[in-house]
Amino acid sequence: MDDAVRQALARWPDVPDCFGWLHLSRRGEWQLPEGPIRHAGLTAFIGRNYEADADGRWYFQNGPQRVFVSLAYTPVVLRLASPEELQTHTGSPVESLSEAWLDEEGSLLLGSEHGIGLLDDRDLAAMAAHLAGELEQPDGPVELRWNGLHLPVARIARADVPGRFGFISQPA
């Protein structure tokens, strides 16, 4: 969290929370009701001050105010930074993968030190080259082969993702 944010919290501890204003898209874009945020400095500031509370609600600490984020899918979106490197939508490198999941829509979810993350659909074709097994069979075995890892890919219903991974998509 930025130092200026910590100072604002100390100065104004009782600012009410904000809900329904900030959204995270499936592609890791911050969005307001008017549309996506395109200012690089603002997106970086939001990313540096983005975290979860004890209840699994993700928020952006905007000075003294918590701005809770409505999630289009997961609280983290992953992207290929290079053919062999992943990063989060906030720009943090992914050092290790711990699990992999496919939902009924063909979306790939990956567990890392940053929690569960949805792979940006624009990188799905490139990542598919690292999947081996029976992708066409609903219960067929699939494995993710990534940087020397061989992770089994489990199946999951999209509706089960928030409960399984302990986050709230639409905080209120």
Side-chain angles (χ1 to χ4, degrees):
M1 191 176 294
D2 287 3
D3 232 13
V5 171
R6 280 188 192 49
Q7 292 170 8
L9 276 166
R11 207 170 314 140
W12 299 291
D14 297 322
V15 174
D17 295 335
C18 176
F19 294 91
W21 180 73
L22 185 62
H23 306 274
L24 180 65
S25 77
R26 288 178 62 111
R27 290 184 167 177
E29 295 175 319
W30 302 112
Q31 297 182 338
L32 301 174
E34 300 80 31
I37 298 173
R38 300 278 185 225
H39 189 277
L42 180 54
T43 60
F45 178 70
I46 293 170
R48 287 192 311 272
N49 297 286
Y50 176 62
E51 55 190 64
D53 69 9
D55 296 325
R57 300 178 305 172
W58 285 78
Y59 65 92
F60 154 54
Q61 190 70 49
N62 184 24
Q65 185 174 49
R66 277 191 179 178
V67 178
F68 284 91
V69 179
S70 298
L71 306 171
Y73 202 147
T74 58
V76 176
V77 177
L78 301 174
R79 299 176 177 140
L80 285 170
S82 73
E84 297 298 320
E85 295 176 324
L86 287 165
Q87 71 178 22
T88 68
H89 69 281
T90 61
S92 297
V94 173
E95 301 295 334
S96 64
L97 295 179
S98 56
E99 56 190 333
W101 301 80
L102 275 173
D103 73 7
E104 68 275 15
E105 299 170 345
S107 298
L108 182 62
L109 297 107
L110 301 169
S112 75
E113 68 273 19
H114 304 287
I116 194 67
L118 173 69
L119 183 70
D120 186 321
D121 64 344
R122 295 170 289 194
D123 292 326
L124 196 52
M127 199 62 149
H130 298 278
L131 296 173
E134 299 178 30
L135 289 166
E136 301 303 321
Q137 301 297 322
D139 294 324
V142 178
E143 182 178 74
L144 175 65
R145 298 175 182 169
W146 178 258
N147 293 335
L149 285 175
H150 292 260
L151 290 174
V153 178
R155 306 294 176 135
I156 192 167
R158 178 180 176 176
D160 296 339
V161 172
R164 168 71 175 81
F165 297 105
F167 66 88
I168 297 172
S169 297
Q170 304 300 316

